[in-house]
Amino acid sequence: MDFDGRVWPLAGGFGRYTRLVVAASWLPNVLLALGFFSELLYTSPPGYKCRGKPDIIGEPCENNTRLELSNYTTICPNGWEYLPRGWLQNNIVTQWDLVCDNHWKVPLEQICYLIGWLLGFFIFGCICDRFGRRVAFISALVLALLLGGAVSLSPEYLLFMPLRAGFGATLAGMFLSFYIARLELCSPGHRLMVTMIGGFFWIAGELLLPGLAVLLADWRIIQGVITGTLLLLVIYWGCRSLFPESPRWLLATQQLDRCKSELLIFSRANGADVGEDLSSQDSLFAEVDAVREGFSRPRYYSICNIFGTRLIWRNALILGFTTFIGSGIRPCFARNLQVFGPTASYFLHAGTEIIACILLCITAASWGRRAVLLTCTILTGFCSLLLLALTQYLFSGASIAISVIGSLSSHAVVMLSVFYASEVLPTVLRGSGLGLILGGSMLGRAALPIIELQHNGGFFLHHVVLSSFCILSVLSLLLLPETKRKGLPDSLRHGESLRRPPLLLQPSQDAMPLLSHGKARADYNPDSYARLASSTKKMIKMDKSGA
């Protein structure tokens, strides 16, 4: 069933109500970004000195041996006096004295938080495929309100870590459910722009966070405010029209009665003329009934079904690998930007994300997904290799410029890889498949705190390995199909039919051997003949049953 070509236009397509639902799905990105980037504020290292002995400053203890660290504890029995250098006056470092011989607990907490996001993407992705996008959102929202409040009241570090990881998992579930539901409501020509605008709202939350931190100053208050703002999302739960279930997913899983009711709501709200006889041959419901496969029971799929495919798992593996590389290599560029200080580097990081979104809106819509992803991956690898080979020979301005370009291109790689994967994966597996790919992004981000846990001993090797992977991934990207201006695949068979286009040649039509390549007949319409064939089969079955 061609959902984008036959079913969705009869329900109004990207009409006024659909545009309203899509626009409403952008707003939660601001709140979810506050929760995600708050980790940077909670773990930001302050300045500190020994209480009662101001001549003993604590920063050097982070770079000394274990023996010297114990000496600092011995000569500073009254603890440390903190000198906040960021936007917060108090965070978890100052709350539980995570300095000197306790400094390792900071990257450990960062790793646990990112693992929480990774597990949240996978778990709630599976819920999206089994119970629907709306159910995944509601369950994640309820858990987020409970865990978010518990995080702000956590009395000790050991309790804070699992609660914080669980809170991150619920934020991941809400982000994924909104991302998929938004995408599945768009027509092929609007998918890219709608997704990139959602990215702008995410960056807006990132830029809003510093002002919120300066205003509130304490991490517990910020955590409480973020959890309180999530209460606003209860509107999406209570008002079903703001977040309806995806008709595309209902149709793909053979839930035809629920699909009809959702499509009827969309068609009436969009002002589409559904006609008085909903069971007529050309009506909306007739198109839905055409996909009935002889039984009315729903058919659900799990992530295990992807391993029985030949092309879908390969495309998902390639894009997951590219997402991992793009996320993991960003700290290699961000390290050179620390010369501007934490405040300037934070806003510079957000600025590269804005530029990356704008460039993707322009280029991916014109040149296609595969060509742009190839270009961004090559540029990322090239900038990374330049920094590896020529850092000691470059003046600081050139090194900073290369790092900015590399940061921009690597963010474009992550954004486009995730979006590309959502267009390649079929509807029946889009939740779990996309959850695994977004989990790869979190795994790449976790590489930096893992290195910090080892006192930055393997940073150079990390840079070398990811640069090599970045170049190698270029070859695998050539195997991907092009999805520009194509409908989303809904079934496994549809996803398997996506083939990679020729690298250089773009034939205007299929050339069949031993047949003439003359001009096609003007009266030939394959859709009309397909409808005629299906109608004829129905009439034959009716005649046989009547006989």
Side-chain angles (χ1 to χ4, degrees):
M1 170 56 64
D2 183 9
F3 184 87
D4 291 304
R6 293 186 179 182
V7 177
W8 199 224
L10 294 177
F14 202 64
R16 58 175 182 265
Y17 173 64
T18 308
R19 292 194 295 268
L20 174 63
V21 174
V22 168
S25 70
W26 293 330
L27 301 177
N29 274 9
V30 178
L31 307 182
L32 299 176
L34 291 177
F36 180 78
F37 289 103
S38 63
E39 181 70 9
L40 301 177
L41 302 183
Y42 292 179
T43 59
S44 177
Y48 49 98
K49 59 184 179 180
C50 185
R51 185 177 288 113
K53 297 181 180 181
D55 55 320
I56 301 178
I57 302 176
E59 283 89 341
C61 75
E62 298 180 7
N63 301 319
N64 288 322
T65 63
R66 184 74 183 177
L67 179 61
E68 291 171 337
L69 292 180
S70 62
N71 291 337
Y72 273 95
T73 306
T74 303
I75 64 177
C76 192
N78 297 324
W80 299 98
E81 181 180 348
Y82 296 100
L83 308 171
R85 293 183 301 192
W87 296 304
L88 286 180
Q89 300 296 318
N90 181 33
N91 60 11
I92 67 169
V93 179
T94 62
Q95 181 79 38
W96 293 302
D97 291 329
L98 305 183
V99 295
C100 286
D101 48 352
N102 285 326
H103 177 69
W104 61 273
K105 294 181 179 180
V106 175
L108 180 62
E109 191 278 329
Q110 293 172 341
I111 294 170
C112 289
Y113 184 63
L114 292 172
I115 290 177
W117 275 77
L118 187 155
L119 293 176
F121 280 132
F122 177 69
I123 293 172
F124 287 99
C126 294
I127 294 175
C128 282
D129 289 339
R130 179 60 179 83
F131 300 102
R133 287 60 169 134
R134 180 174 169 83
V135 173
F137 159 70
I138 293 173
S139 58
L141 176 61
V142 172
L143 292 174
L145 294 176
L146 297 175
L147 291 172
V151 168
S152 62
L153 299 175
S154 55
E156 57 182 11
Y157 172 81
L158 291 179
L159 184 60
F160 173 83
M161 274 204 310
L163 290 175
R164 181 73 173 159
F167 181 67
T170 58
L171 296 181
M174 285 188 283
F175 176 86
L176 182 63
S177 57
F178 275 112
Y179 190 98
I180 297 175
R182 178 192 313 129
L183 183 88
E184 292 178 345
L185 292 178
C186 297
S187 57
H190 295 93
R191 285 199 304 260
L192 177 66
M193 184 63 67
V194 163
T195 304
M196 292 301 114
I197 293 177
F200 286 125
F201 277 83
W202 176 268
I203 300 171
E206 183 181 358
L207 294 174
L208 182 63
L209 184 61
L212 190 65
V214 172
L215 181 64
L216 301 177
D218 188 90
W219 74 270
R220 291 186 185 274
I221 299 177
I222 288 185
Q223 179 65 35
V225 169
I226 292 174
T227 306
T229 55
L230 292 178
L231 279 171
L232 298 175
L233 300 184
V234 175
I235 299 175
Y236 291 80
W237 181 4
C239 186
R240 189 182 181 86
S241 59
L242 287 178
F243 191 12
E245 187 53 83
S246 170
R248 183 189 297 271
W249 173 77
L250 293 172
L251 185 60
T253 54
Q254 294 286 313
Q255 302 180 67
L256 302 186
D257 292 336
R258 291 183 60 192
C259 179
K260 290 178 181 179
S261 62
E262 292 289 345
L263 287 174
L264 189 59
I265 293 173
F266 271 92
S267 60
R268 289 173 175 172
N270 282 326
D273 184 13
V274 296
E276 297 181 359
D277 186 7
L278 296 178
S279 60
S280 64
Q281 184 176 353
D282 296 328
S283 70
L284 174 63
F285 286 1
E287 294 291 345
V288 174
D289 289 330
V291 304
R292 191 179 298 273
E293 298 180 2
F295 54 86
S296 58
R297 294 183 59 186
R299 297 182 62 182
Y300 302 108
Y301 298 81
S302 68
I303 191 61
C304 297
N305 295 109
I306 199 173
F307 299 109
T309 62
R310 196 164 55 89
L311 297 179
I312 297 175
W313 74 267
R314 186 197 68 186
N315 297 334
L317 181 63
I318 293 172
L319 291 169
F321 183 59
T322 309
T323 306
F324 167 77
I325 294 171
S327 298
I329 207 169
R330 292 204 79 189
C332 303
F333 301 119
R335 196 172 193 181
N336 292 328
L337 303 179
Q338 294 297 325
V339 295
F340 296 110
T343 301
S345 61
Y346 181 90
F347 287 105
L348 185 60
H349 177 88
T352 58
E353 293 178 353
I354 294 174
I355 297 174
C357 287
I358 295 174
L359 291 178
L360 287 180
C361 289
I362 299 172
T363 57
S366 302
W367 303 344
R369 285 51 161 155
R370 190 176 70 156
V372 175
L373 185 57
L374 272 170
T375 304
C376 293
T377 307
I378 293 172
L379 185 59
T380 301
F382 182 69
C383 291
S384 180
L385 292 175
L386 278 180
L387 290 179
L388 277 173
L390 303 176
T391 297
Q392 57 183 342
Y393 304 106
L394 295 172
F395 58 91
S396 60
S399 179
I400 291 172
I402 294 173
S403 299
V404 170
I405 296 173
S407 180
L408 188 154
S409 59
S410 61
H411 183 72
V413 166
V414 175
M415 289 193 67
L416 187 54
S417 295
V418 174
F419 173 71
Y420 202 169
S422 66
E423 291 189 319
V424 169
L425 292 166
T427 301
V428 293
L429 290 176
R430 186 166 292 124
S432 54
L434 198 58
L436 283 178
I437 291 171
L438 285 167
S441 173
M442 295 299 109
L443 191 62
R445 285 177 176 268
L448 182 60
I450 290 175
I451 294 173
E452 291 179 352
L453 197 61
Q454 301 173 350
H455 303 289
N456 294 319
F459 187 83
F460 181 77
L461 180 61
H462 167 79
H463 196 167
V464 172
V465 170
L466 284 182
S467 299
S468 304
F469 283 170
C470 193
I471 300 301
L472 290 176
S473 67
V474 172
L475 300 176
S476 62
L477 291 177
L478 297 175
L479 300 175
L480 295 175
E482 180 55 64
T483 57
K484 185 182 72 171
R485 291 194 296 269
K486 292 183 179 179
L488 292 176
D490 292 322
S491 63
L492 295 179
R493 188 169 68 175
H494 192 183
E496 287 286 275
S497 66
L498 297 177
R499 306 282 179 172
R500 67 176 182 87
L503 184 60
L504 298 176
L505 299 177
Q506 297 290 338
S508 58
Q509 63 182 12
D510 294 335
M512 300 298 293
L514 304 181
L515 294 177
S516 62
H517 299 167
K519 188 175 180 181
R521 291 178 52 180
D523 58 344
Y524 174 70
N525 187 347
D527 291 338
S528 298
Y529 280 95
R531 283 196 171 194
L532 178 61
S534 62
S535 301
T536 304
K537 290 180 180 179
K538 288 182 180 179
M539 294 176 63
I540 293 174
K541 290 181 180 179
M542 292 175 62
D543 290 341
K544 289 182 178 180
S545 61

